[in-house]
Amino acid sequence: MQIGIRRLVLVAALVLSFGVVGCSDSDEGSGDSGGERPEMPMPTPEPAPELSCAEVASEALRSCLGSYGAAVASCYSDDGAPCAGNDAAVNAATSDLETAVRDNCADGDFLSLSADALVGRLKNSCSSEASSLAWRTYGGPQGAVYPSVDGTGQSCLTAAHVAASSMVDQALAGINACLASGDCGSVEQDRSALAATMQSDVEAACDDLSSLIAVTPETYVARSAHQIDCITATGQPDTTGVNLNCGPSNTDFDAPRGEYKQIIVDGDKWGSLCGDGSDFAFQVRLAPEGEPLDRILIGLQGGGVCLFGNDCSARFNGNPGLFTAMDDEPFSIGIASTDPEISPFANWTKIYLPYCNQDVFAGGGVVEEFDEISIPRYGGVNLRAAVQMTRDVVWKLMDEEGDAGFRPDEIVALFGGWSAGGYGTLYNYHWLLDDLQWPRTAAFPDAGLALDNGSVLGVSGLGDVKIPAWGTLQNLPSYCFDGQCAVGPTLYNAISPRLKQVPEQQMLILSNPKDNTQQNDAFFDDEAFWINTLRQSYCDTKDLNGIQYYFTSVSDESVHVVSLGGNLWLGEVDGEVMADWFWRAITDPDTVEDRAEEGDFVTAIPGVEPYPCEVAP
């Protein structure tokens, strides 16, 4: 085990040093050229320096990450697939970490955490951070990319994983050493050099990394480097002297408990921007006092989409509020209500994300140029900034509270949106699971089915054009990022194999079939064609792992967005109230069943056909 070896090395070095002096064959200084050599007292070796709990914890975490990552790499090289759940090498990595920490840390030695809480915190960091790096590289937890590419591609991915793992290990070693010594003056320069080396190694090994896993070498390096910050924030109780972009030392705001506060994001730090060039802002409401901070509801505002110069210009001039976040107030109705009589999530921490780029929260931080107008497409950047900023505040507060402190794997979250925000939910859910490492997150895209009409001017055809134009490639899953992956059912099929690692991990898909707004936004000219496509999509995907549906049954009027409507939120479909269905999805998720009804659509709307699979009457 690395901690024990380190102690032995220190002792051995001291013993060896004294032995060389005391056992010389030279007679010089003996005082007797012909007689017996006088006895020389052997100096007592100095004891090895006592390592603090923090030093042991941080080094044990680093060692675990290295062993865990090496085990994962071996599984892919030997079997071409992710490690099995009972893999001996993976289990040994976390077991060694636990032994080191328990041998050297007592309750309260690390922040105010118990030894049990510290072990859980570090073991989760090791497994989730090492896994996240592997998922980014090989194609999600299911390893979808690695077996689908040729030998050259597999060599590229293996080399990238090795380079990233090496950078993480060396950077953590440097950070741990500088924090132990109190001299971190060169740590940023050293990290920059390691990042440059990693990027050079990846570029040398890969002809076109982004064609395999959707990210360029530069982005691949940056995301690996960000993990180093989060690992350090987890494994060190005091990070003074090191600038981190993750964790309690990175907090940008304070907020009261139990009331909304608008947070204006520092665009220079986070790279965020709205469509009119103004700063992005969001609203946060930390859970009221006495309620857990780590129950989190994230809501993405809707507002349509503009795709071409003429419609973007018309929207900008006719409704400039669509391009700014400064004047947007959070919803407090339906699922988002702060009244416990209406929503079981009333007292959860809430993050409300305004929509200001007309890019369905998919934009990767580019400006799309038209003859008539230029539109910043930063929706995905804004979303990630707001969630990470809130994460760091919650992290700080929970660590200060003591008990078990902050644990990302213990956060229970609902991540969803309405209309364009529903589309944004589809395109960003994987990020919360794979990169943010909040496994107990359920997604709820409401009125954002992203159905394809089969024509060039449809979701798939536009995906081919807008994924590169909006810089969206880097924001999509490593296992689904071409134009077809803009289509809801295609994305369900791609993400389904990585869902249900824990029971809460599922997509809760909501809509009313008669929804002229959603129909028009997806370029369906005919209402019956829209509803029939919806019904076929449901039947094609309802049995996928982790995919659940709740379709309301209003046929006499168009209904756009259902989880914010009081009569629908508290109304029943197939015998279950939507609010109760949502609560069951969180508290007893394995028992959730689809709620969809035939209704009277066939008679009410000419051309609508019955569901091609069994649903409720």
Side-chain angles (χ1 to χ4, degrees):
M1 189 172 63
Q2 184 161 337
I3 302 301
I5 291 171
R6 181 178 173 186
R7 286 201 174 105
L8 290 173
V9 169
L10 286 169
V11 173
L14 290 169
V15 171
L16 179 60
S17 173
F18 286 122
V20 169
V21 174
C23 301
S24 171
D25 288 334
S26 170
D27 290 332
E28 183 180 352
S30 68
D32 185 353
S33 59
E36 240 179 61
R37 179 183 300 175
E39 292 185 9
M40 296 283 292
M42 282 287 290
T44 302
E46 294 182 14
E50 188 69 27
L51 297 179
S52 69
C53 171
E55 289 176 300
V56 171
S58 59
E59 279 295 294
L61 176 55
R62 181 175 76 90
S63 177
C64 181
L65 286 160
S67 299
Y68 199 113
V72 171
S74 294
C75 289
Y76 277 98
S77 62
D78 295 345
D79 304 322
C83 295
N86 61 349
D87 184 81
V90 166
N91 292 336
T94 55
S95 177
D96 287 349
L97 181 152
E98 179 169 0
T99 300
V101 174
R102 291 197 184 279
D103 286 350
N104 292 277
C105 295
D107 292 349
D109 282 353
F110 190 106
L111 300 174
S112 58
L113 303 181
S114 67
D116 287 344
L118 177 58
V119 167
R121 174 190 183 107
L122 297 180
K123 287 177 70 174
N124 172 67
S125 180
C126 174
S127 61
S128 61
E129 295 288 357
S131 295
S132 180
L133 180 56
W135 297 345
R136 183 180 307 123
T137 307
Y138 298 112
Q142 68 273 41
V145 173
Y146 188 84
S148 70
V149 299
D150 61 17
T152 300
Q154 291 181 349
S155 296
C156 158
L157 298 179
T158 300
H161 188 221
V162 169
S165 300
S166 176
M167 182 187 75
V168 170
D169 182 71
Q170 292 181 68
L172 289 175
I175 292 170
N176 292 347
C178 88
L179 289 174
S181 68
D183 180 10
C184 292
S186 65
V187 70
E188 289 192 27
Q189 181 178 350
D190 294 341
R191 287 188 63 182
S192 295
L194 289 171
T197 297
M198 175 185 165
Q199 183 168 336
S200 177
D201 289 346
V202 173
E203 289 173 342
C206 301
D207 292 334
D208 186 4
L209 185 67
S210 63
S211 69
L212 301 179
I213 56 172
V215 293
T216 64
E218 182 180 11
T219 299
Y220 185 76
V221 171
R223 291 182 179 172
S224 303
H226 183 74
Q227 288 187 252
I228 295 167
D229 287 4
C230 297
I231 295 165
T232 301
T234 301
Q236 292 281 0
D238 183 357
T239 60
T240 303
V242 180
N243 294 321
L244 301 179
N245 291 318
C246 178
S249 68
N250 189 50
T251 54
D252 288 354
F253 67 87
D254 295 314
R257 301 286 293 265
E259 58 185 89
Y260 274 106
K261 179 177 180 178
Q262 184 184 61
I263 308 300
I264 300 175
V265 181
D266 181 350
D268 290 336
K269 175 178 178 178
W270 292 98
S272 52
L273 190 68
C274 277
D276 64 355
S278 62
D279 288 330
F280 179 65
F282 66 98
Q283 299 272 353
V284 65
R285 181 182 186 266
L286 298 179
E289 292 289 348
E291 300 289 342
L293 285 163
D294 60 352
R295 299 300 182 261
I296 301 176
L297 173 66
I298 305 169
L300 282 59
Q301 184 188 37
V305 63
C306 78
L307 298 164
F308 311 107
N310 57 350
D311 66 318
C312 286
S313 180
R315 282 179 179 244
F316 189 89
N317 294 322
N319 192 353
L322 292 172
F323 297 84
T324 181
M326 290 298 182
D327 56 359
D328 289 308
E329 295 294 328
F331 292 127
S332 189
I333 53 178
I335 191 173
S337 175
T338 56
D339 182 351
E341 294 294 320
I342 296 175
S343 174
F345 313 106
N347 289 325
W348 283 28
T349 292
K350 292 183 170 65
I351 308 171
Y352 179 73
L353 302 182
Y355 177 51
C356 66
N357 298 95
Q358 289 288 292
D359 60 2
V360 295
F361 289 96
V366 302
V367 177
E368 188 174 23
E369 302 284 353
F370 300 106
D371 291 338
E372 302 91 337
I373 194 172
S374 298
I375 301 294
R377 306 293 197 175
Y378 280 68
V381 178
N382 295 342
L383 182 155
R384 285 159 170 73
V387 174
Q388 289 180 94
M389 287 172 66
T390 306
R391 182 269 318 271
D392 291 343
V393 169
V394 170
W395 188 338
K396 179 175 183 290
L397 293 174
M398 292 187 69
D399 275 1
E400 290 174 350
E401 287 179 353
D403 194 19
F406 177 78
R407 285 277 298 272
D409 61 321
E410 294 296 335
I411 288 173
V412 177
L414 271 173
F415 170 69
W418 306 281
S419 190
Y423 279 75
T425 303
L426 298 180
Y427 304 147
N428 290 282
Y429 179 37
H430 69 282
W431 174 77
L432 278 86
L433 302 178
D434 297 346
D435 290 271
L436 198 65
Q437 299 163 30
W438 290 7
R440 299 178 67 187
T441 300
F444 67 99
D446 184 346
L449 296 173
L451 300 179
D452 188 47
N453 62 12
S455 71
V456 174
L457 188 61
V459 172
S460 177
L462 290 168
D464 286 330
V465 175
K466 294 304 179 181
I467 286 173
W470 291 353
T472 298
L473 184 68
Q474 63 185 346
N475 287 346
L476 293 175
S478 60
Y479 43 86
C480 193
F481 52 85
D482 61 18
Q484 275 291 321
C485 295
V487 178
T490 301
L491 200 53
Y492 306 157
N493 277 279
I495 200 172
S496 172
R498 68 92 54 243
L499 297 179
K500 298 296 282 187
Q501 290 180 311
V502 296
E504 297 91 344
Q505 204 174 91
Q506 55 194 330
M507 297 192 76
L508 310 172
I509 302 163
L510 316 173
S511 190
N512 189 66
K514 184 177 176 66
D515 181 349
N516 299 144
T517 301
Q518 190 180 177
Q519 170 196 330
N520 293 331
D521 285 346
F523 300 96
F524 280 78
D525 294 330
D526 181 74
E527 184 176 52
F529 180 32
W530 161 260
I531 295 175
N532 290 336
T533 302
L534 175 151
R535 291 183 160 205
Q536 185 65 57
S537 170
Y538 167 78
C539 292
D540 290 343
T541 59
K542 69 180 182 65
D543 294 326
L544 290 174
N545 174 60
I547 302 298
Q548 303 291 343
Y549 284 89
Y550 194 104
F551 282 164
T552 53
S553 303
V554 181
S555 62
D556 59 351
E557 63 177 321
S558 174
V559 177
H560 185 56
V561 175
V562 297
S563 62
L564 295 175
N567 60 325
L568 295 176
W569 172 245
L570 298 177
E572 291 186 3
V573 171
D574 190 21
E576 187 163 23
V577 173
M578 189 190 303
D580 296 339
W581 185 80
F582 262 92
W583 187 242
R584 191 149 62 95
I586 293 300
T587 59
D588 197 7
D590 287 336
T591 68
V592 171
E593 298 176 338
D594 290 345
R595 298 299 178 189
E597 301 171 333
E598 183 60 56
D600 64 352
F601 289 93
V602 171
T603 57
I605 302 173
V608 172
E609 299 173 357
Y611 275 96
C613 60
E614 185 176 352
V615 296

